[in-house]
């Protein structure tokens, strides 16, 4: 009898071990592949969906609602993959399915195809510049920008500049340059390249909010001294796009030195014909007072502005040396939003020597919020013997951000005011945001580097 009982117990124990082992294997298998979460949960064709979980490094495919495969699947590591949504997603909301060579798992979350649509504008019929426009609707999560108007006068506002963005609401402030009139078209641009016309509104000119005008000096030429000789020298690298944002009333200033023997004359020439922008501007008699203050200049008016924007500018003349050409313009700064001076480098003073010193600790993330028109300023001192040169270099290649910015001849005036600087433009902004900045040069000491943000 005891032998029978012992045999039964042995069989039951063996079964228990087998059952336990099978259960453990099932749990281990389930734990090997799982989906914890993903984002976003509303997609369009081309939307990248980031999926987190376990065992994802073995993923061979991702199925969207309707069983349609992702366009691409990028494996980051065992806990994260990125799947690109296909064009033909089923209309019905459903789960994601992760597929490996030997397994598949469904998500707990559901995902659906986006159907962006306008419900109404607020205000509903007329909105003014400098005021807020609310766009109420559905599935705005993937909107990249909003465009107001059409053609050359259109204004595009990026999502980063929205006052508010949710799946059902976009709130933005209409810039002062927004086109005005009746039935101004408003479009939304999506991350995948789709464009949708939302509707149209009447737009009127509004009242600019309180603030003040701040004078800003933008380099047009800063590539070294140019001796004009007897009308043999010239600066012909100031192209039309430099005046794209110029306004009537802005000033073009030519910094000068070396009043040589005989008479001295300056000239503002048409960038294509080489004739004077006007008869008066073609030949300007320079005086001793001009050399004492260090410049001569012109004011842009309704005649010269279109000429500059069409063909650019040439600086010429005789018996003087041009050191720099700038555009002096006014920027409207609202109250409580004065230009900010942000430290990029404020460590020990750096003696540049003969191009042996440098500052290479200004990394790309320092320019994450920088904008076109912001200024990078290098504070300097100790004008040592010989010539002095500054440099704004690419943070990776060590070459100049542009040819002109690679070697900048510094003058006594630069040391008197205590700095040299550059203005960020559409060429240099992406370079700074990609690789950061190196400051270098010769025969001066750098004390600080700042970003002046407007």
């Amino acid at each position: 009898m005891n032998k029978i009982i012992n045999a039964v117990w042995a069989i039951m124990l063996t079964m228990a071990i087998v059952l336990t082992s099978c259960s453990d294997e099932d749990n281990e298998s389930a734990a090997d592949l799982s989906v914890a979460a993903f984002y976003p949960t509303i997609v369009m064709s081309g939307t990248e969906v980031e999926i987190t979980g376990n065992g994802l490094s073995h993923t061979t495919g991702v199925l969207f609602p309707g069983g349609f495969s992702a366009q691409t699947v990028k494996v980051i590591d065992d806990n994260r993959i990125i799947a690109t949504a296909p064009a033909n997603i089923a209309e019905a909301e459903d789960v994601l399915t992760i597929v490996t060579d030997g397994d598949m798992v469904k998500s707990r979350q559901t995902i659906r195809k986006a159907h962006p649509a306008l419900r109404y504008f607020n205000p509903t019929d007329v909105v003014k510049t400098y005021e807020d426009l609310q766009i109420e609707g559905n599935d705005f999560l993937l909107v990249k920008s909003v465009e107001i108007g059409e053609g050359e006068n259109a204004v595009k506002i990026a999502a980063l500049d929205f006052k508010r963005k949710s799946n059902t609401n976009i709130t933005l402030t209409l810039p002062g340059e927004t086109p005005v009139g009746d039935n101004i078209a408003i479009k939304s641009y999506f991350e995948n390249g789709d464009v949708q016309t939302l509707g149209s509104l009447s737009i009127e000119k509004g009242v600019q909010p309180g603030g003040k005008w701040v004078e800003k000096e933008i380099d047009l030429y800063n590539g070294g001294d140019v001796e004009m000789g007897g009308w043999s020298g010239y600066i012909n690298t100031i192209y039309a796009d430099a005046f794209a944002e110029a306004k009537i009333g802005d000033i073009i200033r030519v910094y000068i030195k070396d009043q040589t023997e005989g008479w001295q004359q300056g000239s503002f020439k048409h960038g294509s014909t080489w004739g004077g922008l006007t008869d008066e501007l073609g030949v300007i008699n320079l005086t001793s007072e001009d050399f004492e203050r260090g410049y001569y200049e012109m004011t842009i008016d309704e005649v010269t502005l279109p000429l500059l924007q069409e063909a650019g500018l040439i600086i010429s003349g005789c018996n003087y040396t041009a050191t720099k050409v700038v555009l002096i313009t006014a920027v409207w700064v609202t109250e409580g939003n004065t230009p900010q001076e942000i430290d990029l480098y404020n460590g020990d003073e750096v003696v540049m020597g003969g191009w042996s010193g440098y500052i290479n600790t200004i990394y790309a993330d320092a320019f994450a919020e920088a904008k076109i028109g912001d200024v990078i300023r290098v504070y300097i001192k100790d004008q040592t013997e010989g010539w002095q040169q500054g440099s704004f270099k690419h943070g990776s290649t060590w070459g100049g951000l542009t040819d002109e910015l690679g070697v900048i001849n510094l003058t006594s005036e630069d040391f008197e005011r205590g700095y040299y600087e550059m203005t960020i433009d559409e060429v240099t902004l992406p370079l700074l945001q990609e690789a950061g900045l190196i400051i270098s040069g010769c025969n001066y000491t750098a004390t600080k580097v700042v970003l002046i943000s407007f």
Side-chain angles (χ1 to χ4, degrees):
M1 185 65 177
N2 287 335
K3 290 182 179 180
I4 296 174
I5 292 173
N6 289 338
V8 172
W9 274 109
I11 293 170
M12 292 176 65
L13 181 60
T14 301
M15 291 178 63
I17 291 171
V18 170
L19 288 173
T20 301
S21 299
C22 291
S23 177
D24 288 344
E25 288 174 2
D26 289 344
N27 288 338
E28 185 178 347
S29 176
D32 281 348
L33 181 63
S34 65
V35 178
F38 58 79
Y39 182 85
T41 58
I42 302 171
V43 296
M44 303 172 72
S45 173
T47 301
E48 290 189 340
V49 181
E50 185 169 321
I51 304 166
T52 59
N54 292 314
L56 299 178
S57 60
H58 302 293
T59 300
T60 57
V62 176
L63 302 180
F64 282 75
F68 299 107
S69 296
Q71 295 182 37
T72 61
V73 178
K74 181 179 180 181
V75 175
I76 307 301
D77 53 38
D78 204 47
N79 303 114
R80 187 162 63 104
I81 59 174
I82 297 174
T84 304
N88 47 354
I89 305 171
E91 296 294 327
E93 184 173 340
D94 205 347
V95 298
L96 284 179
T97 301
I98 311 301
V99 181
T100 67
D101 285 335
D103 203 355
M104 68 170 56
V105 66
K106 296 181 182 294
S107 65
R108 292 187 296 272
Q109 285 176 278
T110 56
I111 194 167
R112 67 176 177 84
K113 184 177 182 179
H115 294 285
L118 172 75
R119 290 188 289 133
Y120 59 88
F121 294 123
N122 181 24
T124 57
D125 49 4
V126 179
V127 64
K128 295 182 178 181
T129 57
Y130 304 111
E131 296 183 357
D132 287 352
L133 170 65
Q134 295 183 10
I135 305 173
E136 301 286 345
N138 301 313
D139 292 353
F140 288 154
L141 186 67
L142 302 174
V143 171
K144 181 181 179 181
S145 62
V146 169
E147 184 178 71
I148 304 174
E150 296 179 304
E152 294 182 355
N153 295 324
V155 170
K156 186 174 285 189
I157 304 166
L160 287 174
D161 296 320
F162 295 166
K163 291 186 71 173
R164 181 172 183 268
K165 178 186 175 185
S166 69
N167 203 42
T168 59
N169 172 275
I170 293 172
T171 302
L172 50 86
T173 302
L174 268 59
E177 64 271 21
T178 302
V180 297
D182 296 329
N183 299 316
I184 304 295
I186 300 177
K187 299 177 182 178
S188 56
Y189 287 73
F190 294 85
E191 292 176 356
N192 68 343
D194 286 356
V195 182
Q196 182 179 41
T197 300
L198 296 173
S200 62
L201 277 173
S202 295
I203 300 177
E204 298 177 353
K205 203 70 178 175
V207 178
Q208 195 165 10
K212 61 181 179 181
W213 289 101
V214 176
E215 188 176 276
K216 183 179 178 184
E217 191 171 291
I218 302 170
D219 285 350
L220 297 177
Y221 172 81
N222 197 2
D225 294 352
V226 177
E227 295 181 7
M228 293 301 170
W231 289 90
S232 59
Y234 52 83
I235 298 169
N236 68 338
T237 55
I238 306 174
Y239 305 116
D241 55 5
F243 300 100
E245 303 299 325
K247 307 181 294 296
I248 292 173
D250 288 352
I251 292 172
I252 300 172
R253 177 175 292 173
V254 182
Y255 286 96
I256 60 176
K257 66 178 183 178
D258 298 344
Q259 184 179 8
T260 56
E261 61 183 8
W263 64 89
Q264 296 78 39
Q265 294 174 321
S267 182
F268 295 96
K269 295 181 178 296
H270 187 278
S272 176
T273 69
W274 285 72
L277 287 172
T278 65
D279 291 340
E280 295 78 13
L281 292 172
V283 179
I284 301 169
N285 291 316
L286 304 180
T287 66
S288 296
E289 288 75 16
D290 293 326
F291 283 90
E292 286 174 9
R293 68 177 180 174
Y295 60 84
Y296 69 94
E297 62 188 22
M298 63 163 279
T299 300
I300 297 174
D301 59 20
E302 64 278 356
V303 174
T304 53
L305 180 60
L307 298 176
L308 294 164
Q309 292 179 329
E310 170 196 353
L313 176 67
I314 296 167
I315 300 297
S316 184
C318 69
N319 296 333
Y320 76 95
T321 297
T323 61
K324 186 167 67 167
V325 185
V326 302
L327 175 71
I328 300 174
T329 187
V331 178
W332 182 262
V333 179
T334 58
E335 292 176 357
N337 189 29
T338 55
Q340 289 184 302
E341 190 168 297
I342 303 164
D343 284 350
L344 297 176
Y345 173 83
N346 198 5
D348 295 337
E349 295 180 353
V350 178
V351 179
M352 294 299 172
W355 289 90
S356 58
Y358 52 84
I359 298 169
N360 67 339
T361 55
I362 305 173
Y363 304 116
D365 56 5
F367 301 100
E369 303 299 325
K371 307 179 298 299
I372 292 172
D374 287 352
V375 172
I376 300 172
R377 178 175 293 173
V378 183
Y379 286 95
I380 60 177
K381 67 176 188 178
D382 297 345
Q383 184 179 7
T384 56
E385 61 183 7
W387 63 87
Q388 297 78 38
Q389 294 174 319
S391 182
F392 296 96
K393 294 181 177 294
H394 187 278
S396 176
T397 68
W398 286 72
L401 287 172
T402 65
D403 290 341
E404 294 78 13
L405 292 172
V407 178
I408 300 169
N409 290 315
L410 303 180
T411 67
S412 296
E413 289 77 12
D414 294 325
F415 284 90
E416 286 173 9
R417 67 177 181 174
Y419 60 83
Y420 69 94
E421 62 187 20
M422 62 165 279
T423 300
I424 297 173
D425 59 20
E426 64 279 356
V427 174
T428 53
L429 181 59
L431 299 176
L432 294 165
Q433 291 180 329
E434 169 197 355
L437 175 68
I438 296 167
I439 300 298
S440 184
C442 70
N443 296 333
Y444 76 95
T445 296
T447 61
K448 186 167 68 168
V449 185
V450 302
L451 174 70
I452 301 174
S453 180
F454 293 86

